[in-house]
Amino acid sequence: MGTKSVGLRRLHAATAAGLGMVAGVIAAVAAQRGTLDAINRRFERLEEQAGNQQRANLAMQQRQHWELLSKAIDDPELAEVLDYFEEPVSAQKRRQYLFANAQYTNLLCYYRIGNIPLDEFFMHARGMFQNPHMRDYWEATRPQRASLRGTEEAKLGEMIDDLLSQLDEADTDEWWVVGTPPTET
């Protein structure tokens, strides 16, 4: 009998030790999980701050772009610096192109900073390019856009090129129904 109770006590002691180890492991894992959760929350906040900073940087760059274009629009001598068109254009046409560039860049910036989704970008562009001066600008800047291969801006430009082709081929005067707005992927 004595041997049985010693054996039983050893088994209980071993079981208790094993349960203690398991409890310790669970406590350690729980503590690590809490630490990992805190690290993940901090990482998410940092990502959000980085995104906010990127949008702020884009907005600042857009403002600087507009200030430079405004100076060029107001001063024909400065506008000559931005005359990178293959065909010579008059001072009036150059000013129109600069303003068209400002309009398109503004729409592009709205999309990039997240103020509008891709389908809304498409719908605004569809309306914007009803204007013949915008279309002239778009055609005159085709060589510059060709140098943007592989970028987000190039993809948006290709989308607009496709839209303009669809508008030209459309069998309707209801331009606002031409083309299917893309969806975010």
Side-chain angles (χ1 to χ4, degrees):
M1 267 306 230
T3 17
K4 278 190 176 177
S5 74
V6 170
L8 217 67
R9 277 187 291 210
R10 284 186 185 157
L11 180 61
H12 285 308
T15 303
L19 287 175
M21 286 176 54
V22 169
V25 168
I26 290 172
V29 168
Q32 285 180 345
R33 181 64 188 176
T35 302
L36 287 175
D37 287 345
I39 290 170
N40 281 336
R41 285 190 301 274
R42 185 167 183 194
F43 185 67
E44 287 169 359
R45 281 194 306 272
L46 288 172
E47 283 180 327
E48 183 180 336
Q49 289 172 348
N52 290 340
Q53 184 62 49
Q54 183 180 16
R55 286 186 290 281
N57 290 346
L58 281 168
M60 183 186 312
Q61 189 273 332
Q62 174 65 20
R63 178 187 274 306
Q64 291 172 341
H65 182 256
W66 172 245
E67 288 173 5
L68 290 171
L69 285 179
S70 293
K71 287 179 181 182
I73 290 169
D74 293 341
D75 185 337
E77 290 177 7
L78 294 178
E80 288 179 16
V81 174
L82 297 176
D83 191 346
Y84 44 79
F85 308 107
E86 291 189 4
E87 299 291 322
V89 296
S90 67
Q92 177 186 359
K93 181 62 81 175
R94 187 179 313 114
R95 287 182 68 191
Q96 290 171 342
Y97 284 177
L98 293 174
F99 191 75
N101 176 273
Q103 276 191 290
Y104 176 71
T105 304
N106 186 56
L107 179 61
L108 182 64
C109 183
Y110 255 50
Y111 169 70
R112 282 182 167 165
I113 64 175
N115 283 358
I116 58 173
L118 184 59
D119 63 333
E120 197 170 329
F121 173 89
F122 178 88
M123 290 184 278
H124 282 290
R126 183 169 50 194
M128 183 184 292
F129 283 99
Q130 293 307 302
N131 184 294
H133 298 292
M134 284 298 296
R135 288 213 181 187
D136 286 349
Y137 156 77
W138 195 253
E139 189 56 40
T141 57
R142 184 173 300 283
Q144 286 78 28
R145 285 193 315 281
S147 69
L148 301 174
R149 283 188 206 108
T151 65
E152 177 186 42
E153 191 171 346
K155 291 174 187 161
L156 294 170
E158 290 167 5
M159 179 184 74
I160 291 173
D161 287 340
D162 186 50
L163 170 62
L164 293 177
S165 293
Q166 291 177 40
L167 286 166
D168 290 342
E169 296 168 4
D171 219 9
T172 181
D173 291 333
E174 298 174 344
W175 58 265
W176 55 92
V177 299
V178 174
T180 303
T183 56
E184 298 282 347
T185 54

